[in-house]
Amino acid sequence: AQYNLSVVILPPNPFVTTYSRMPSSSPTSLFAGRLIYNENTLIRLTSMSAYISTMGGGFFLCRYLSTAVAMARQQCRIALIRGDEEMAFKCRINE
């Protein structure tokens, strides 16, 4: 079953009418801190997936097939953690 999920991000305190226009990296609430943590995790997983994809292609080209298949499986796991089912299906083609 496929679900459509919409996320609405509101300011940490809706009763405050003035906000600083200066950007800040310090989290203003627990929700903002968790949001930053999840975004950083997604960025790291995306970078790791790109790295594994590049290395797996190199191993495949050099005829190290067992290593290339192991890397494709790792990339599939990362894609599933990220929630990218399309990429996971593409990784399974190489198995």
Side-chain angles (χ1 to χ4, degrees):
Q2 187 175 5
Y3 300 100
N4 292 328
L5 179 66
S6 298
V7 177
V8 178
I9 300 175
L10 299 174
N13 187 353
F15 300 108
V16 176
T17 57
T18 59
Y19 292 100
S20 172
R21 292 181 183 254
M22 296 298 295
S24 173
S25 63
S26 63
T28 56
S29 69
L30 182 63
F31 176 74
R34 194 70 183 153
L35 187 65
I36 292 169
Y37 173 79
N38 287 336
E39 185 175 357
N40 288 337
T41 301
L42 183 65
I43 290 169
R44 287 186 184 121
L45 288 172
T46 302
S47 297
M48 189 184 323
S49 178
Y51 177 76
I52 290 174
S53 175
T54 303
M55 294 300 294
F59 280 115
F60 182 77
L61 214 58
C62 294
R63 306 269 189 231
Y64 293 106
L65 299 180
S66 61
T67 306
V69 169
M71 294 188 114
R73 289 182 180 146
Q74 287 290 355
Q75 190 179 4
C76 181
R77 286 187 194 109
I78 291 172
L80 291 174
I81 291 170
R82 291 178 53 223
D84 190 356
E85 293 180 4
E86 184 178 346
M87 179 58 75
F89 290 140
K90 288 178 183 178
C91 296
R92 288 188 183 132
I93 290 173
N94 295 327
E95 287 187 30

